Amino acid sequence: MFKKSLWKKAVISGLAVSLMLTMTACGTPNQPAGTSKVESDYPNKPITVLQGFAAGGGSDQLAMLTGPYLQKELGNTLVNQYIPGATGAIAWTQLTKQTAADGYTLSITNTPMLMTNYLMNTEIKYTIDELTPIANVVTDPGILVVSKDSPFKTYQDYINYVKANPGQLTIANSGTGGDDFFTILQWQKATGLSVKMIPFTGDGPSWQAAAGNKVQASSTNLGVVYSQVKAGNLRALAIYSEKRSDLLPDVPTAKELGVDLVAGSSRGYSAPKGIPENAKKKLIDSFTAIAKDPAFLKGLQDAALPIDLKVGDEYAKYLKDQETEFKSIWDSVNDTIQK
Amino acid sequence: MNNLAKHGLASAITLILAIVLYVDSFNLPPAAANLPRALAWIIIVLSLAMFAEALYKERKKAQENQEPKEPILVFRVFVFAAMIALYVALIKPLGYFLVTPLFLITALAYLEATRLWKAVLIALSFTVFCYLLFVMFLHLPIPMGLFS
Amino acid sequence: MNDIMMGLLNVVSPFNLLVIAAGTGLGIFVGAMPGLSATMAIALLLPITFGMDPASGISMLASLYLGAMYGGSISAILLRTPGTPAAAATVLDGYPMAQQGRAGKALGVSLTASLIGGIISSIALLTIAPALGKVALSFGPVELFAIAVLGITIIGSLSSGSPIKGILSGVVGLMIALVGMDPISGTPRFTFGQIYLFNGISFIIALIGLFSIPQALRLVEKDDGLQKVASSIKDKMLPTFKELKSMTVTMLRSSVIGVFTGLIPGTGGDTACWFGYNEAKRFSKEKEKFGTGHPEGVAAAEAANNAVVGGALIPTITLGIPGSAATAVLLGGLMVHGIMPGPTLMTEHSLITYTLIWAVMLANIFMFLEGLVLTRAAVSVTKIPNKVIAPVIVILCVIGSFTINNSIVDVFVMFTFGIIGYFMDKINIPTAPMVVGMILGMMLDNSMNQSLLMSDGSWMIFLRTPVSAILLLIALISVLQATPLFGFIKNRFKKTTI
């Protein structure tokens, strides 16, 4: 009897294996053609992109939108490797401490988490000085939203209420230490006013709490709530970018409203420190080239992700400036938060 | 180990866990510490209650005749668990392709599950099957070890 | 109306039918693999859909989701190893059924319940989605806290035997859930300087360990293993009309629970299966049969987790709010297809939306047919000797837990939980309450702290909104039901009426 069932099992597993093989054949992505066009030797093998967040998240979205164009420019495949955990810190620790600086491993680097991780937690040991910043791709500006049936019609209504009720207005953010958390702190510093910050577990729960009138406002990001604002479920009162967004041209910037505040979260690519010059140059050139590709730009536009290309030293300086800023904010509030 | 000793050990472990976490909670800001502290107290009370319950049952049982349990092959379970531990420890440094068939063949041979040639066949085909499923089809990572 | 018909016409094109059938089949297969959850499967297979038009691609992913919800029960029943977290409650009655030689029946009940849960939630999705979608927004921290409290009362009812042991297991589970970065204060909690603990102990990893490793060890305890009754293939798989009738109320109740659990952002199949199981037991006249191989237990859990699919899609398509982790990935998929998910989905992209809805409906039927065929083959697993099954389970668990976060530490954690689970089993401490505790711990802590921040520390906030007040009242009744006092009143009441 055992013999017979073993036969059956062999047949079943044989079927399964052949099924898998067929599916594999369908599932393998096409190799990019024309590797011969590349002058320099780099890259002559696939490049690994470490992702500090789970597949399907915001940073994966950038990888999926950017990946195909970047592959074409570089003439080799990009392989995503997901190492989620500790808001990206596990992947970034691996990138800086355990990865060969040969240009064949990159990581998507998100601000402000890239810096706030180690500013807030002494257990996290890497710093941005151990990176070669390659290029920032998008910056999703901060935005202040309220529910569609909120009494606050304009930023002025909002600020009047906050002035009359110091520390009473409830405002959601995406979590203590996240970009929106720092944005609200920066706003408080710039205006001298105070609000009651309610941390949530991510951008989604944060704006949903505002839309459901669970909190009075939410400080979040344009890309996250663009469709909700457009459909009228949320009202945007102010945007924290240098100039008005093309997506929501009616929403005033904080600067117009007399608050000196530009904030948001950025996503780009970085390599470990000390990669070969030709690899760095090739990567930077590729990003500069795809940023001119209308198809790529349209993809970002459709996903409401505003492009913000900063390459090489400019990106490095941007990270360094942000690090200094976040450090000073965190140091000033650390004691009060931990009370 | 008798039933009472087992319960005593379990109570002790949960008790220590609760106390360690309770003490550690003093490093945390109050908002993060409130719930864990309350839970730690509940665990302390319940683990003591569990021991008391076991003690009570032991007394009661002494008066009645309990039916003997069918014995289990403790040594075999222990060796098999050790094999799993070894497999888990070696898969990263040595890699999936070496350790998986080895584990399967040794385990099947030790357990006298099948004849050796069948064990080898099962081990090899299952190793390949998992590789095809996880790596070729789903593009998931597996520890490659020496084969990377 | 027109859009609905267009969607139906679009979905019955040969290519779309093929895509849905393939998606469902893949879902069942992937769902049956421990460690590969529906969420992961959607994320992993997303790139395959890039070549398709958005409607077909998204339909395929949704069918995958639905298939995986059923697939999880196959390994739960046959191997006592839930293939997905949403099938954890199925183990309680499904595996005992298999041990009694009724594996075929258990799978048949699971399949039928999955079909009914899926169809009911698809109908809800097609007809009353816009009205129900708003419910998603009415759940804030206060309401989530009430749900978490209600969920914790399940721990009590899972603790047959010794309530002390069950509650202890549940509370330890809650405590384990609190390990990791606390989003409210931004401090790492109980991480002891290990950054691998910052994200906490993944409950999927713990679940794999707690259920599967003890099972593998038990299988080698004796030479003939657990008393082995090979399930006869001739055994009627599908429930008879009479059996079906006796389970109808349970399946309907679980379906409604599943739809609502799906609706609420932050809760999904992993929660719904426990709620469904618990309510079935609460209303059953044969409470003592639950956990011993009672088909109704399987039906309750499986109808609930498949109903989550439609439920979770409701806020996804009406508001752009993912109702569960799997639908969140689905939304990401839409974006890569160039469709901005959000409230405009039903108006601006109505064809895609209605194609998706019909695809979910049809996927139920494909799931049923494919399930019937697959189950026959799956039952033959019960003929493989235990001593061959044991190491195979181990390998699936090790690879499965490694792939989730690409981390060997997770494998160590999985194994540790496995050993703990084995010893818990030896002294009759149930593991199911621990799993429930791990699911609800963070939700309880976060929502409690958020609410108290809003109310400046006043606990009255939980009684001020009707939804949370009602849920907390139900929780209170559940607790009282378990105390001797309630039994006393009930007995008195019974005596007087008879």
Side-chain angles (χ1 to χ4, degrees):
Chain A
M1 182 200 123
F2 176 43
K3 207 167 186 179
K4 199 176 142 205
S5 68
L6 192 78
W7 258 112
K8 188 169 261 164
K9 214 172 61 191
V11 172
I12 291 171
S13 35
L15 277 174
V17 168
S18 56
L19 184 72
M20 300 315 303
L21 279 172
T22 345
M23 289 190 290
T24 314
C26 305
T28 316
N30 297 325
Q31 299 288 319
T35 28
S36 55
K37 271 193 280 180
V38 189
E39 307 90 359
S40 127
D41 189 30
Y42 174 87
N44 56 20
K45 61 177 184 186
I47 298 171
T48 306
V49 179
L50 297 182
Q51 299 229 37
F53 300 86
S59 105
D60 196 23
Q61 198 193 337
L62 178 70
M64 284 184 187
L65 290 167
T66 317
Y69 299 95
L70 202 57
Q71 291 194 24
K72 217 161 55 186
E73 246 354 280
L74 288 169
N76 218 318
T77 0
L78 294 173
V79 181
N80 287 323
Q81 197 183 349
Y82 303 92
I83 315 171
T87 37
I90 292 181
W92 296 326
T93 304
Q94 183 167 332
L95 182 79
T96 49
K97 310 277 185 200
Q98 296 154 24
T99 304
D102 53 5
Y104 287 98
T105 310
L106 307 175
S107 178
I108 295 191
T109 38
N110 311 36
T111 66
M113 293 81 113
L114 180 66
M115 292 78 102
T116 53
N117 269 345
Y118 60 86
L119 292 176
M120 293 170 60
N121 300 291
T122 47
E123 290 92 338
I124 295 172
K125 305 287 186 207
Y126 76 87
T127 68
I128 52 167
D129 300 330
E130 295 163 75
L131 291 173
T132 305
I134 302 292
N136 186 56
V137 183
V138 299
T139 295
D140 198 354
I143 191 167
L144 175 69
V145 293
V146 295
S147 149
K148 62 166 186 269
D149 25 61
S150 162
F152 311 133
K153 305 286 177 210
T154 62
Y155 181 76
Q156 202 52 49
D157 296 344
Y158 174 84
I159 204 147
N160 288 343
Y161 180 90
V162 179
K163 274 180 185 155
N165 306 279
Q168 285 305 303
L169 178 125
T170 50
I171 181 163
N173 62 63
S174 60
T176 301
D179 59 323
D180 304 318
F181 169 83
F182 281 100
T183 304
I184 300 172
L185 288 176
Q186 285 172 294
W187 180 86
Q188 292 194 18
K189 204 170 136 194
T191 57
L193 297 168
S194 85
V195 287
K196 195 193 285 181
M197 293 165 65
I198 314 286
F200 280 77
T201 49
D203 282 310
S206 162
W207 74 255
Q208 285 153 26
N213 288 310
K214 304 292 169 191
V215 290
Q216 287 164 285
S218 166
S219 181
T220 179
N221 297 90
L222 171 65
V224 176
V225 290
Y226 167 65
S227 64
Q228 302 295 336
V229 173
K230 207 170 146 239
N233 285 345
L234 288 171
R235 188 182 307 127
L237 300 181
I239 187 163
Y240 306 132
S241 50
E242 285 287 349
K243 54 183 192 348
R244 291 192 181 204
S245 159
D246 302 336
L247 294 166
L248 298 171
D250 297 336
V251 180
T253 65
K255 283 197 166 171
E256 291 173 40
L257 297 163
V259 183
D260 186 19
L261 174 59
V262 173
S265 90
S266 301
R267 292 172 211 153
Y269 286 76
S270 301
K273 191 185 173 142
I275 63 164
E277 268 312 308
N278 69 322
K280 185 180 171 185
K281 186 172 179 305
K282 177 78 192 164
L283 285 166
I284 289 176
D285 290 349
S286 305
F287 277 102
T288 317
I290 64 166
K292 292 184 186 124
D293 188 331
F296 173 65
L297 294 176
K298 185 172 181 313
L300 289 182
Q301 175 94 18
D302 287 345
L305 291 171
I307 185 153
D308 180 23
L309 191 77
K310 292 186 177 77
V311 293
D313 295 341
E314 193 192 355
Y315 185 32
K317 183 178 178 305
Y318 173 71
L319 292 180
K320 203 69 203 166
D321 290 349
Q322 290 225 306
E323 186 193 41
T324 316
E325 172 141 22
F326 289 127
K327 186 165 175 8
S328 81
I329 301 170
W330 180 246
D331 287 346
S332 68
V333 297
N334 194 3
D335 299 331
T336 46
I337 295 288
Q338 310 277 319
K339 67 180 172 217
Chain B
M1 214 182 332
N2 71 12
N3 196 42
L4 186 64
K6 281 180 195 158
H7 280 84
L9 190 64
S11 294
I13 291 171
T14 45
L15 206 62
I16 292 169
L17 176 86
I19 292 169
V20 167
L21 296 186
Y22 186 79
V23 171
D24 194 58
S25 75
F26 285 95
N27 300 325
L28 298 171
N34 286 337
L35 187 65
R37 257 180 235 163
L39 293 177
W41 276 116
I42 299 175
I43 295 175
I44 291 171
V45 171
L46 286 173
S47 56
L48 293 174
M50 180 170 76
F51 185 66
E53 190 186 45
L55 206 65
Y56 172 74
K57 277 191 182 155
E58 192 73 14
R59 290 262 171 81
K60 220 168 79 177
K61 203 172 62 186
Q63 289 151 14
E64 307 158 14
N65 292 332
Q66 57 157 348
E67 48 185 295
K69 260 191 185 169
E70 214 186 317
I72 61 167
L73 302 163
V74 179
F75 183 70
R76 189 157 85 182
V77 174
F78 179 77
V79 173
F80 186 54
M83 278 180 180
I84 302 174
L86 210 59
Y87 176 57
V88 167
L90 292 179
I91 191 164
K92 178 88 180 176
L94 297 184
Y96 169 82
F97 279 111
L98 189 65
V99 188
T100 303
L102 268 182
F103 168 73
L104 259 180
I105 294 168
T106 350
L108 291 175
Y110 173 71
L111 298 170
E112 294 168 342
T114 59
R115 264 179 276 156
L116 193 62
W117 68 269
K118 274 187 197 159
V120 174
L121 197 72
I122 294 173
L124 293 182
S125 55
F126 190 69
T127 306
V128 171
F129 167 75
C130 282
Y131 176 75
L132 292 175
L133 171 66
F134 285 95
V135 181
M136 298 308 286
F137 179 52
L138 293 170
H139 300 284
L140 279 168
I142 55 169
M144 293 308 267
L146 300 175
F147 297 85
S148 61
Chain C
M1 202 62 209
N2 197 19
D3 291 329
I4 300 182
M5 288 321 290
M6 289 290 285
L8 181 59
L9 282 177
N10 194 16
V11 90
V12 293
S13 74
F15 178 72
N16 280 345
L17 286 179
L18 183 76
V19 159
I20 295 166
T24 316
L26 266 175
I28 297 177
F29 187 76
V30 168
M33 290 286 163
L36 292 178
S37 63
T39 314
M40 255 179 106
I42 295 174
L44 293 167
L45 295 176
L46 190 58
I48 297 182
T49 68
F50 288 168
M52 306 175 187
D53 73 288
S56 312
I58 298 301
S59 298
M60 179 169 183
L61 296 177
S63 340
L64 188 80
Y65 184 12
L66 198 83
M69 280 296 179
Y70 165 66
S73 77
I74 298 178
S75 39
I77 290 167
L78 298 174
L79 303 175
R80 201 182 179 268
T81 300
T84 63
T90 311
V91 171
L92 300 188
D93 280 291
Y95 183 68
M97 281 182 80
Q99 271 186 302
Q100 295 152 9
R102 293 188 293 156
K105 175 69 87 188
L107 288 167
V109 169
S110 160
L111 189 58
T112 316
S114 297
L115 174 76
I116 289 174
I119 292 278
I120 288 176
S121 78
S122 313
I123 293 172
L125 184 62
L126 187 64
T127 51
I128 47 173
L132 278 181
K134 293 194 183 76
V135 174
L137 278 184
S138 65
F139 278 80
V142 176
E143 290 79 8
L144 284 178
F145 174 79
I147 290 187
V149 171
L150 183 62
I152 287 167
T153 63
I154 295 176
I155 290 172
S157 82
L158 289 174
S159 325
S160 50
S162 159
I164 293 174
K165 286 177 180 171
I167 298 170
L168 178 64
S169 164
V171 178
V172 171
L174 286 171
M175 194 71 140
I176 294 171
L178 299 183
V179 173
M181 186 69 84
D182 170 36
I184 307 296
S185 61
T187 22
R189 181 160 51 186
F190 305 146
T191 54
F192 301 100
Q194 300 297 314
I195 67 166
Y196 281 97
L197 286 176
F198 273 32
N199 260 38
I201 293 171
S202 155
F203 108 89
I204 303 186
I205 304 285
L207 178 75
I208 296 173
L210 279 176
F211 279 90
S212 320
I213 298 293
Q215 175 65 4
L217 294 178
R218 265 192 302 268
L219 289 175
V220 303
E221 277 177 351
K222 289 164 199 163
D223 256 325
D224 48 336
L226 307 165
Q227 78 250 41
K228 185 94 182 175
V229 190
S231 298
S232 156
I233 305 239
K234 282 185 206 140
D235 177 29
K236 249 199 169 171
M237 254 180 58
L238 292 182
T240 61
F241 182 71
K242 202 176 143 208
E243 285 171 315
L244 202 60
K245 213 175 133 193
S246 72
M247 288 188 283
T248 310
V249 181
T250 297
M251 288 199 255
L252 291 180
R253 188 192 308 112
S254 278
S255 301
V256 174
I257 292 171
V259 170
F260 275 91
T261 323
L263 265 178
I264 301 165
T267 57
D270 44 14
T271 328
C273 67
W274 295 110
F275 273 114
Y277 186 86
N278 188 49
E279 293 310 310
K281 193 172 170 184
R282 186 203 303 266
F283 287 101
S284 169
K285 289 194 189 80
E286 311 162 305
K287 286 191 181 56
E288 68 290 342
K289 278 196 182 171
F290 280 82
T292 60
H294 193 37
E296 214 173 313
V298 175
E302 283 300 312
N305 70 26
N306 273 68
V308 163
V309 177
L313 280 169
I314 290 173
T316 312
I317 61 168
T318 56
L319 291 168
I321 301 173
S324 67
T327 45
V329 181
L330 211 65
L331 274 188
L334 276 173
M335 257 160 138
V336 178
H337 274 288
I339 295 161
M340 189 70 196
T344 49
L345 212 55
M346 271 194 134
T347 46
E348 277 178 27
H349 302 285
S350 56
L351 182 63
I352 295 173
T353 311
Y354 282 105
T355 309
L356 168 69
I357 295 175
W358 283 111
V360 175
M361 190 79 88
L362 279 181
N364 281 295
I365 295 160
F366 280 114
M367 177 195 75
F368 189 72
L369 298 175
E370 288 169 11
L372 278 181
V373 178
L374 266 175
T375 306
R376 293 208 174 266
V379 173
S380 57
V381 169
T382 58
K383 287 195 179 141
I384 303 171
N386 283 338
K387 290 190 277 188
V388 176
I389 295 274
V392 165
I393 292 182
V394 171
I395 290 171
L396 285 176
C397 293
V398 169
I399 304 299
S401 52
F402 180 82
T403 52
I404 292 174
N405 291 323
N406 192 1
S407 150
I408 191 75
V409 182
D410 280 351
V411 183
F412 300 156
V413 171
M414 186 276 297
F415 182 64
T416 311
F417 271 91
I419 297 299
I420 294 172
Y422 183 73
F423 286 115
M424 282 171 73
D425 189 58
K426 284 290 161 233
I427 55 171
N428 298 321
I429 301 178
T431 46
M434 188 181 264
V435 172
V436 174
M438 287 186 72
I439 295 173
L440 296 170
M442 271 320 270
M443 189 168 142
L444 181 79
D445 191 41
N446 285 343
S447 58
M448 182 181 87
N449 283 320
Q450 285 164 345
S451 307
L452 291 177
L453 267 177
M454 289 180 193
S455 70
D456 289 316
S458 161
W459 288 83
M460 284 307 288
I461 191 171
F462 297 113
L463 299 177
R464 260 181 240 137
T465 64
V467 178
S468 86
I470 291 168
L471 290 172
L472 288 173
L473 186 71
I474 301 174
L476 183 69
I477 294 171
S478 309
V479 173
L480 290 179
Q481 242 176 346
T483 58
L485 182 74
F486 195 85
F488 178 72
I489 296 170
K490 209 166 115 187
N491 279 343
R492 287 294 290 272
F493 185 70
K494 257 188 194 162
K495 269 179 200 156
T496 47
T497 46
I498 292 167

